[in-house]
Amino acid sequence: MITHNTVLDLTLLTYTAFLTYYTINKRRNNQTHTIDKYFTAVLTPYILLISLTSATIATQQTVTTSFTLTATALTALTMTITRLKDQKKAYITETTIGLTAFTILLTQIKPGLNPLIFLQMTGLTTAAFLPVYILHFILEKNKTGLYLFPIYTHFLDAGSTVIALQKGLQESRTLAQIFIRNMGEYGVFVMKALIIIPITLYIEEKVKGEISREVLFMIGVYGLVLGLRNYFLVLS
């Protein structure tokens, strides 16, 4: 059954994907400022904003406010990336918009942030990711390692799911439910490994140039959004 919450979540995801596609096209036409290693830091408040908004939709808290605020901030981010070519001004503007929007949403919801839960989540994720990281250096020395970012973030989603299940929350994804039912809560890691590792390795090997970097980055950001969403759900 498709609920109102599911529709809103899908709408937010679709709109974000559309803005990302628009930005990538503008980049190819050189109608945007250069995106370098600092851009990930600039994106951080937006990732947090999307994650928190998705959690508010799931728990039906200030849904209209959070959805409107996030959509507006993402639109402003896209317009800044594609229209403001001065690198310094662009980064200052983007960071200001993201931090302001996230701060406003935090003041509306006031979640009780718990560092211990976050440490448990990241610790579990890192422990599961470590064998993949070691194998990368043993077997994949010729690869760039870009595929490791989406693997880690989707393992973060798995780790946060385990913590959420231990706190009494329910898993809504059908495939994940199958793995949990047959392998226990840690079966989520097996599911993620079977899906995300082959996909990211294929993109690393078969997709060339900037497209590979962009796709792997987007997959990684999506995993990060899912993991942080679970964290905020645990706190709610």
Side-chain angles (χ1 to χ4, degrees):
M1 179 181 178
I2 299 178
T3 65
H4 178 65
N5 291 349
T6 304
V7 171
L8 276 177
D9 241 353
L10 287 174
T11 301
L12 181 62
L13 177 60
T14 302
Y15 186 62
T16 303
F18 167 76
L19 292 178
T20 303
Y21 176 76
Y22 175 82
T23 302
I24 289 172
N25 276 343
K26 287 291 186 180
R27 281 191 66 199
R28 294 207 176 100
N29 295 326
N30 296 319
Q31 297 177 18
T32 176
H33 71 73
T34 304
I35 293 177
D36 56 21
K37 61 183 179 180
Y38 302 107
F39 188 63
T40 302
V42 173
L43 277 184
T44 300
Y46 297 92
I47 293 171
L48 290 168
L49 189 62
I50 295 171
S51 303
L52 186 54
T53 297
S54 184
T56 62
I57 291 172
T59 57
Q60 298 183 355
Q61 300 180 58
T62 61
V63 174
T64 302
T65 300
S66 59
F67 186 88
T68 303
L69 189 62
T70 300
T72 302
L74 290 173
T75 303
L77 171 66
T78 303
M79 293 302 101
T80 305
I81 293 173
T82 57
R83 296 175 186 273
L84 191 58
K85 293 187 178 182
D86 184 285
Q87 193 86 342
K88 185 176 180 180
K89 288 182 179 178
Y91 278 167
I92 292 174
T93 303
E94 291 156 5
T95 303
T96 302
I97 293 170
L99 288 175
T100 301
F102 183 62
T103 301
I104 292 172
L105 189 54
L106 275 180
T107 58
Q108 293 290 317
I109 300 172
K110 297 179 181 178
L113 301 180
N114 189 327
L116 180 58
I117 292 177
F118 187 76
L119 287 174
Q120 290 174 333
M121 187 175 79
T122 53
L124 184 59
T125 300
T126 303
F129 175 76
L130 189 58
V132 178
Y133 188 70
I134 293 172
L135 283 173
H136 165 73
F137 284 100
I138 295 175
L139 303 175
E140 309 289 354
K141 291 181 179 179
N142 294 327
K143 297 189 182 301
T144 63
L146 291 173
Y147 70 100
L148 292 174
F149 171 61
I151 291 175
Y152 184 86
T153 61
H154 279 270
F155 275 25
L156 183 68
D157 176 31
S160 63
T161 298
V162 171
I163 300 298
L165 291 171
Q166 292 174 347
K167 298 293 183 181
L169 276 70
Q170 299 297 314
E171 174 58 63
S172 59
R173 295 168 292 189
T174 303
L175 183 59
Q177 289 175 352
I178 294 173
F179 276 86
I180 292 169
R181 188 161 53 246
N182 289 281
M183 305 180 70
E185 57 198 21
Y186 291 96
V188 181
F189 279 106
V190 178
M191 180 197 74
K192 282 289 185 179
L194 291 175
I195 295 174
I196 200 66
I197 292 177
I199 290 175
T200 53
L201 281 174
Y202 177 83
I203 294 171
E204 172 89 358
E205 291 181 356
K206 302 297 183 181
V207 182
K208 304 301 181 182
E210 280 295 304
I211 296 177
S212 174
R213 295 172 61 88
E214 289 165 350
V215 173
L216 288 172
F217 183 73
M218 286 188 292
I219 294 173
V221 168
Y222 180 60
L224 188 56
V225 167
L226 292 175
L228 292 172
R229 173 185 183 271
N230 290 338
Y231 172 63
F232 287 126
L233 280 174
V234 171
L235 298 178
S236 63

